[in-house]
């Protein structure tokens, strides 16, 4: 019998196929990012121990996707964005959810949703790498504040970090609202993208400043095999993956080949809207 991770991958693959077709049908550019891109190139699909999908969309197309999904009628997949009315949705990027499943990530917000694909805007924030890195500092500081506000308790943190998290989370939401910070981040990043800069990238990714690069590296969305289908990724895949991972062809040690997700609820057969 397939284990839970593989069943989850197949559900995600089904969602990815739907997303790919939607983008192709509506001329929306997107790129596989991070581990999804690495999996496509190195494994021809999912990294065996990975259980998520990340995609990035240039801001102009990202806005078009949001508007399209607002009009699109589908009882299976929905897109939730930083501008969502739900105050518990505190991400500075969007998530595509499978409404026929139930999943809750381990955070102090206890956001009950479904299996998801992370949909990141790609924002160009400088006319040089130096300018992009400078502008990124403010964005990262705000993003880190949101992260601290939403972290769950963990026994693996140092005493100092636990104290910092408790202090930040003790400030009432009426004074520091992570939701308002996400909305503000959305406005800042959208404004930067109006200038036609060529340096930037995924400003909310796990690799931090490493995610900043010349958009020439992303280039024209290029098809790569992914499991039994094809998805779009960076045109200059070697430069992109080297920029993020260094020697990306080298597998990590066996003890590092694990999923980094922590789920409180997990049911791939139950719609999350059900009680």
């Amino acid at each position: 019998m397939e284990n839970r991770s593989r069943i989850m991958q197949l559900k995600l693959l089904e969602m990815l196929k739907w997303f790919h077709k939607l983008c192709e049908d509506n001329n929306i550019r997107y790129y596989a990012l991070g581990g999804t891109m690495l999996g496509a190139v190195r494994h021809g699909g999912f990294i065996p121990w990975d259980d998520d999908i990340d995609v990035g969309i240039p801001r102009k197309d990202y806005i078009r996707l949001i508007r399209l999904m607002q009009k699109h009628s589908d009882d299976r997949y929905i897109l939730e964005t930083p501008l969502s009315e739900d105050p518990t949705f505190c991400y500075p990027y969007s998530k595509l959810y499978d409404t026929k499943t139930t999943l809750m990530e381990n955070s102090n917000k206890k956001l009950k949703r479904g299996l998801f694909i992370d949909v990141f805007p790609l924002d160009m924030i400088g006319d040089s790498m130096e300018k992009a890195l400078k502008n990124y500092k403010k964005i990262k500081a705000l993003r880190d504040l949101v992260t601290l506000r939403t972290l769950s308790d963990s026994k693996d943190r140092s005493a100092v970090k636990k104290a910092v998290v408790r202090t930040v989370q003790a400030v009432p939401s009426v004074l520091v609202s992570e939701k308002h910070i996400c909305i503000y981040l959305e406005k800042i990043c959208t404004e930067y993208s109006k200038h036609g800069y060529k340096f930037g990238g995924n400003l909310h990714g796990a690799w931090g400043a490493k995610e900043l690069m010349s958009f020439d590296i992303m280039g024209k969305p290029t098809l790569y095999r992914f499991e039994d289908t094809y998805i779009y990724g960076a045109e200059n895949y070697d430069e992109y993956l080297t920029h993020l991972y260094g020697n990306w062809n080298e597998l990590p040690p066996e003890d590092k080949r694990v999923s980094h997700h922590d789920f409180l609820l997990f049911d791939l057969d139950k719609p999350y809207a059900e009680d």
Side-chain angles (χ1 to χ4, degrees), residues 9-46:
Q9 287 178 349
L10 293 175
K11 287 274 189 180
L12 284 168
L13 180 62
E14 185 180 352
M15 195 186 317
L16 182 59
K17 289 177 179 178
W18 182 92
F19 173 80
H20 173 83
K21 186 176 187 305
L22 180 74
C23 289
E24 279 209 320
D25 289 348
N26 293 278
N27 297 312
I28 293 173
R29 293 173 297 162
Y30 81 86
Y31 302 85
L33 296 182
T36 306
M37 185 65 192
L38 177 60
V41 175
R42 193 173 69 189
H43 301 274
F46 286 99

Side-chain angles (χ1 to χ4, degrees), residues 145-146 149 168 171-181:
L145 181 56
V146 172
R149 294 278 295 171
V168 172
V171 180
S173 292
V174 292
L175 297 178
V176 178
S177 166
E178 50 274 16
K179 181 69 175 182
H180 290 158
I181 295 171

Side-chain angles (χ1 to χ4, degrees), residues 37 73 76 138 151 170 178 194 268 275:
M37 185 65 192
S73 177
R76 180 70 182 271
K138 178 180 179 181
L151 279 176
E178 50 274 16
K194 293 178 181 178
L268 295 180
D275 293 330

